[in-house]
């Protein structure tokens, strides 16, 4: 019996040692070794996979000039059509913005005024107190970040995902990809060395086989401006009735004539 004791102790020691060493790899998330080009291709495929979007959510706006919270219905079809219908206190209609391929309409229901015209003429204009231009509305609300040609500066694999630093002309981008979804979770936009804004995408959930973030944050640090969207309901690639994109303007509404940027 005395002779067996050292052997048992050695076996127990080996079992404990093996258990400790087998747990170490679990400390680091194991995910595919991909190049930055492969990640960008996956991101483009994800954007193209979203053919329609129907959602409800809460929008929070925070800036030195205005702060507020709104409930909103959001509809999107293809890469061009987006409708944002905003409601205020007690469900009162505040306003609607429709952005199409070439045209847009903004209906301020609170003041019973509307603006309509060519999208290209008003693409840098802000609506409904959003610190976002017409083009940025589409990019932020649909979680889109589209790139033409990016030149890699730095690319590395981290325990929680990938990091890419790249540029296109004078514009620089810092991009973090999530290890689980392989999609962008944070992106910073720079003009030379100046941080223009950043976007964050969190709490991805799968709807109809397609991932989409339930939380979107857009921040301009220098201007102290921010927009947060928290989706309570999301439907992806469900058929949409074209009627949802039609805005019925009151006959008594006043049309505002605003000089376009090209005039």
């Amino acid at each position: 019996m005395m002779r067996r004791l050292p052997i048992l102790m050695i076996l127990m020691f080996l079992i404990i040692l093996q258990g400790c060493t087998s747990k170490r790899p679990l400390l680091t998330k194991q995910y595919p070794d991909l190049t930055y080009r492969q990640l960008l291709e996956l991101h483009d495929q994800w954007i193209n996979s979203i053919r329609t979007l129907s959602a409800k959510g809460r929008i929070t706006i925070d800036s030195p000039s205005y702060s507020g919270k709104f409930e909103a219905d959001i509809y999107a079809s293809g890469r061009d059509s987006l409708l944002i219908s905003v409601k205020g206190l007690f469900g009162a209609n505040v306003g609607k913005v429709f952005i199409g391929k070439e045209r847009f309409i903004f209906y301020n229901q609170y003041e019973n005024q509307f603006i309509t015209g060519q999208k290209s003429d008003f693409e840098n204009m802000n609506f409904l107190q959003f610190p976002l231009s017409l083009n940025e509305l589409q990019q932020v609300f649909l979680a889109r970040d589209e790139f033409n040609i990016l030149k890699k500066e730095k690319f590395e694999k981290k325990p929680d995902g990938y990091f890419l630093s790249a540029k296109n002309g004078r514009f620089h981008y810092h991009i973090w990809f999530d290890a689980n979804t392989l999609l962008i979770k944070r992106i910073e936009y720079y003009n030379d060395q100046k941080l223009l804004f950043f976007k964050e995408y969190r709490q991805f959930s799968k709807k109809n086989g397609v991932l989409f973030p339930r939380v979107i944050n857009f921040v301009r640090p220098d201007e102290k401006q921010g927009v947060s969207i928290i989706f309570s309901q999301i439907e992806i690639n469900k058929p949409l009735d074209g009627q949802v994109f039609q805005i019925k303007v009151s006959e008594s509404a006043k049309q505002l004539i605003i000089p376009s940027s090209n005039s």
Side-chain angles (χ1 to χ4, degrees), residues 27 29 72 79 81 97 159 163 167 204 208 210 213 230 250 254:
L27 298 176
K29 174 72 178 180
R79 301 176 69 88
S81 297
V97 179
F163 171 74
K167 66 178 181 178
F204 281 85
N208 202 16
V210 180
I230 300 177
S250 169
K254 179 182 179 181

Side-chain angles (χ1 to χ4, degrees), residues 200-204 213-217 228-231:
E200 294 177 329
Y201 308 116
R202 296 188 287 111
Q203 297 182 25
F204 281 85
R214 285 194 170 272
V215 179
I216 298 175
N217 293 318
S228 176
I229 309 159
I230 300 177
F231 293 101

Side-chain angles (χ1 to χ4, degrees), residues 183-199:
L183 298 176
I184 293 174
K185 63 180 180 180
R186 179 184 171 94
I187 179 168
E188 298 175 351
Y189 286 73
Y190 292 83
N191 186 347
D192 290 327
Q193 300 301 316
K194 176 181 170 58
L195 175 60
L196 301 176
F197 57 86
F198 67 83
K199 290 186 276 184

Side-chain angles (χ1 to χ4, degrees), residues 127-182:
F127 298 94
L128 291 173
Q129 303 293 342
F130 292 143
L132 300 169
S133 67
L134 208 61
N135 281 348
E136 289 170 337
L137 280 174
Q138 289 179 300
Q139 296 169 1
V140 172
F141 277 78
L142 299 179
R144 285 181 181 164
D145 296 278
E146 301 180 78
F147 312 98
N148 293 322
I149 299 175
L150 290 182
K151 181 179 180 181
K152 180 188 72 173
E153 292 184 318
K154 182 180 181 181
F155 180 67
E156 58 182 334
K157 185 177 180 180
K158 296 177 175 291
D160 59 347
Y162 300 87
F163 171 74
L164 170 65
S165 175
K167 66 178 181 178
N168 182 358
R170 70 177 186 276
F171 293 103
H172 288 69
Y173 309 89
H174 289 175
I175 308 172
W176 287 262
F177 295 87
D178 182 68
N180 294 311
T181 65
L182 302 179

